[in-house]
């Protein structure tokens, strides 16, 4: 079985998609290939999102927002959009999900923590579907 590739997409690739990518990489390790991008990427990752993830022991400070490309969608098995679903290219045979989450842009740490925690729960469920931990099944 080949490892699945998951692409997280939000408008600026500065908050939600970066937190989701950080969680998936941290929790699934090398069992999943993780990509993230934005339909209109910002210039840097939201510092409040960086702080919220640091509280979880996950460093996303070095991440850079990237532009969404057709190639990224094409090479992904699962495409998860967060507020930009209409701007994401559609390719048959891909699994698409739209996660409705508040945008952390301009929000304080309390709001971003709530968004972060919701993202973690969704990422954990996604891992359970795509790449369960073989150590847990023993």
């Amino acid at each position: 079985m080949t490892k699945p590739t998951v692409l997280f997409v939000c408008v600026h690739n500065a908050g939600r998609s970066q937190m989701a990518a950080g969680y998936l990489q941290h929790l699934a390790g090398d069992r999943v290939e993780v990509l993230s991008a934005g339909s209109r990427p910002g210039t840097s990752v939201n510092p409040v999102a960086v702080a919220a993830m640091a509280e979880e022991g996950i460093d996303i400070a070095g991440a850079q927002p990237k532009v969404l490309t057709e190639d990224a969608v094409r090479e992904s098995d699962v495409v998860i959009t967060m507020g930009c679903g209409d701007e994401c290219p559609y390719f048959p045979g891909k699994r698409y999900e739209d996660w409705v989450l508040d945008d952390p842009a301009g929000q304080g740490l309390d709001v971003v923590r709530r968004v972060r925690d919701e993202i973690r729960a969704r990422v954990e469920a996604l891992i359970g579907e795509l790449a369960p931990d073989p150590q847990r099944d023993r």
Side-chain angles (χ1 to χ4, degrees):
M1 181 174 144
T2 62
K3 74 176 158 179
T5 299
V6 177
L7 170 63
F8 294 103
V9 183
C10 68
V11 176
H12 297 120
N13 190 219
R16 295 166 289 189
S17 58
Q18 293 287 357
M19 289 191 288
Y23 268 130
L24 185 57
Q25 188 66 60
H26 179 78
L27 297 172
D30 63 359
R31 298 190 320 267
V32 178
E33 185 71 31
V34 182
L35 304 171
S36 71
S39 53
R40 293 186 305 274
T43 56
S44 62
V45 175
N46 180 333
V48 183
V50 171
M53 292 300 286
E55 292 177 349
E56 297 280 289
I58 300 171
D59 182 7
I60 62 169
Q64 273 302 121
K66 296 174 234 28
V67 68
L68 175 65
T69 65
E70 284 192 10
D71 286 343
V73 177
R74 192 176 289 115
E75 70 182 69
S76 299
D77 300 297
V78 180
V79 179
I80 298 175
T81 59
M82 304 170 187
C84 62
D86 293 346
E87 297 181 42
C88 189
Y90 179 81
F91 292 98
K94 305 289 178 196
R95 174 177 163 185
Y96 289 86
E97 291 184 22
D98 186 42
W99 291 0
V100 179
L101 300 160
D102 291 336
D103 188 347
Q107 301 293 329
L109 191 54
D110 287 342
V111 171
V112 176
R113 282 182 182 130
R114 185 176 44 76
V115 173
R116 175 202 67 198
D117 294 347
E118 189 171 340
I119 289 170
R120 180 180 181 127
R122 291 177 187 227
V123 166
E124 287 173 339
L126 184 66
I127 292 168
E129 295 171 27
L130 296 178
D133 185 348
Q135 300 299 325
R136 282 193 172 163
D137 296 336
R138 291 185 178 180

